[in-house]
Amino acid sequence: MSQASDNRELRLTQVEKTYANGFTAVQPLDLVVPQGSFFALLGPSGCGKTTTLRMVAGLEIPTAGTVRIGESDITYEKPYKRPVNTVFQNYALFPHLTIADNVAFGLRRRGVKNTAEQVAQMLDLVELTTQANKKPAQLSGGQQQRVALARALINQPEVLLLDEPLGALDLKLRRAMQLELKRIQTEVGLTFVHVTHDQEEAMTMADTIAVMNAGRVEQMGSPEELYENPRTTFVANFLGQSNLIKGSIIGKDTLAGASVVKVDMEGTIVSIPEERAHAITGAGWVGIRPEKVLVAPAGENIDAPGSHFTGATIVSTSFIGVSTQYVLRTAWGQEIAAFEQNTGARGVMPPGTAVDFSWRPEFAFLLDASQDASAGIEEH
Ligand SMILES: Nc1ncnc2c1ncn2[C@@H]1O[C@H](COP(=O)(O)OP(=O)(O)O)[C@@H](O)[C@H]1O
Ligand SMILES: [Mg+2]
């Protein structure tokens, strides 16, 4: 395989997988993973993440489309001939071999005689030097997962595939391993494709996230892009939480030199920056994140000039220390969430309080009203 080309991005073009039983697990899919990036495939169970990874690894052959790394077409290449390694959730270490021998395995199989130096380097990378002579059963789950990582990395793959590698670990260990994985990826500079159903995990680690739903990529971008400017109700609900309010789209306008789309939202005209408007005619969902909604007792001043609403009532109040989470019932009878940071500026408002609320127009987004407002909530 030629490695002459300097751009070794992973590129999936119109890749599709229909299983023998006729079920299409992956709809024609386009993905570009830049060389050296940390890429996450995020989506609920059953959306086709593992199938996609297995096609990159060569464990499944696509029904259509191509898989390339740089200039090389590897769609039909045998798994062991691909510059790709996979780390699974069940690390599948060899129980009778020491940690060092587990890590050396790939090199020895390829006939490399002197493995000591590379093994030592890898153990250092995953911080397991002191455990080299132990057997897998003597290590914790997180340590075993790091051995699995070292065992894959020692083969110097161009692309490392990770299929829910932290799924078996408890929450605290998972959080620690997320940071650890990110550090290791930065240090080795390889392309990582990480599959997870955990949105926080994807956001913590990835440069780019592709959100998958029912065999399709709904949106791809940086964690910030996806969170701040979701294009579909599924992404708006699966990544964090969103308030979606029905409105009727009036049309484009200019506001302080910027292009906006105006929407009649339950009798109040709100404007949405054009680059955040993903519907332009008819009905739309006006989206706003709970932490962007500011609340104050009725008639009090709120520091969010723009979209202002009166006549709401607090339905529930959850004080969780760092913030207070309110549910408000609006004048038009909809319940919306508002999260207030506990800066000490205002006391906690009990249920029943009459309130006004507002948000800055630049934080709102606009989605197509033909999409299900509850898409992605249950999976989340
Ligand atoms: N060998 C197979 N034959 C038929 N259907 C399969 C097969 N493997 C997976 N599927 C189905 O394809 C869909 C996607 O599976 P998978 O890629 O494992 O999803 P994920 O990893 O996102 O949970 C699921 O509905 C699953 O049941
Ligand atoms: Mg899976």
Side-chain angles (χ1 to χ4, degrees):
M1 205 180 309
S2 156
Q3 306 207 349
S5 162
D6 41 2
N7 185 2
R8 301 293 292 172
E9 69 187 12
L10 169 67
R11 183 182 285 270
L12 277 63
T13 309
Q14 291 293 294
V15 164
E16 186 181 346
K17 180 66 189 183
T18 301
Y19 282 112
N21 64 0
F23 180 75
T24 300
V26 176
Q27 305 282 345
L29 180 91
D30 291 314
L31 277 186
V32 179
V33 182
Q35 181 181 4
S37 69
F38 200 126
F39 190 92
L41 262 182
L42 170 68
S45 174
C47 73
K49 305 182 296 294
T50 294
T51 303
T52 304
L53 268 203
R54 288 174 61 85
M55 290 191 285
V56 176
L59 303 169
E60 296 288 351
I61 298 300
T63 315
T66 57
V67 180
R68 286 194 183 80
I69 296 180
E71 299 294 304
S72 340
D73 184 336
I74 58 165
T75 315
Y76 302 104
E77 193 79 88
K78 296 256 183 318
Y80 61 88
K81 285 199 170 165
R82 301 181 182 214
V84 172
N85 261 243
T86 311
V87 177
F88 299 99
Q89 177 175 328
N90 55 343
Y91 349 100
L93 300 176
F94 303 111
H96 56 288
L97 297 183
T98 65
I99 300 312
D101 287 341
N102 263 282
V103 173
F105 185 81
L107 291 183
R108 292 205 178 121
R109 197 173 52 174
R110 283 187 282 130
V112 178
K113 292 270 145 49
N114 248 323
T115 60
E117 191 180 331
Q118 287 184 66
V119 168
Q121 263 175 19
M122 281 301 138
L123 289 175
D124 182 47
L125 178 71
V126 299
E127 297 176 340
L128 287 175
T129 305
T130 57
Q131 313 295 316
N133 298 319
K134 290 191 181 164
K135 296 281 173 65
Q138 293 169 278
L139 302 192
S140 72
Q143 289 173 322
Q144 290 186 42
Q145 192 52 283
R146 270 143 58 197
V147 178
L149 194 62
R151 191 178 57 170
L153 287 172
I154 203 166
N155 300 317
Q156 297 184 298
E158 291 187 57
V159 177
L160 188 72
L161 306 175
L162 303 117
D163 194 353
E164 314 236 10
L166 312 181
L169 308 179
D170 68 40
L171 187 66
K172 201 171 159 206
L173 193 52
R174 228 159 72 207
R175 296 277 174 261
M177 276 296 289
Q178 287 165 8
L179 301 175
E180 188 72 350
L181 261 182
K182 179 73 193 169
R183 173 189 68 77
I184 291 169
Q185 190 269 338
T186 310
E187 213 167 309
V188 297
L190 298 177
T191 310
F192 276 34
V193 182
H194 182 104
V195 159
T196 178
H197 63 270
D198 179 337
Q199 48 125 1
E200 228 177 285
E201 181 163 307
M203 291 180 85
T204 308
M205 295 194 290
D207 305 310
T208 307
I209 300 176
V211 181
M212 271 188 95
N213 178 27
R216 287 193 166 79
V217 169
E218 292 236 349
Q219 192 175 349
M220 197 155 73
S222 69
E224 294 86 341
E225 275 163 19
L226 294 180
Y227 186 82
E228 298 300 342
N229 191 2
R231 292 174 169 272
T232 66
T233 55
F234 181 85
V235 175
N237 293 322
F238 192 72
L239 240 82
Q241 193 179 330
S242 293
N243 295 302
L244 299 176
I245 304 162
K246 199 66 162 272
S248 170
I249 300 171
I250 299 167
K252 288 190 191 177
D253 200 351
T254 316
L255 192 74
S259 292
V260 298
V261 173
K262 297 216 138 170
V263 182
D264 179 344
M265 204 192 80
E266 305 289 348
T268 302
I269 310 298
V270 298
S271 44
I272 320 285
E274 196 178 11
E275 67 277 11
R276 302 164 69 88
H278 307 295
I280 42 167
T281 55
W285 295 116
V286 174
I288 188 79
R289 296 290 190 181
E291 73 279 10
K292 306 293 198 306
V293 178
L294 303 189
V295 190
E300 272 187 29
N301 199 38
I302 310 179
D303 178 34
S307 307
H308 189 90
F309 306 89
T310 57
T313 311
I314 292 179
V315 178
S316 79
T317 301
S318 324
F319 175 76
I320 55 168
V322 65
S323 65
T324 303
Q325 307 197 342
Y326 294 109
V327 176
L328 318 177
R329 188 182 305 282
T330 64
W332 60 90
Q334 184 177 353
E335 290 193 349
I336 69 168
F339 300 162
E340 185 172 79
Q341 198 69 8
N342 183 12
T343 59
R346 206 191 310 277
V348 174
M349 296 174 277
T353 308
V355 292
D356 297 341
F357 65 96
S358 69
W359 63 73
R360 290 175 176 269
E362 62 264 36
F363 294 140
F365 49 88
L366 182 61
L367 307 176
D368 186 338
S370 68
Q371 295 175 2
D372 178 3
S374 63
I377 290 178
E378 251 173 47
E379 290 94 336
H380 183 215

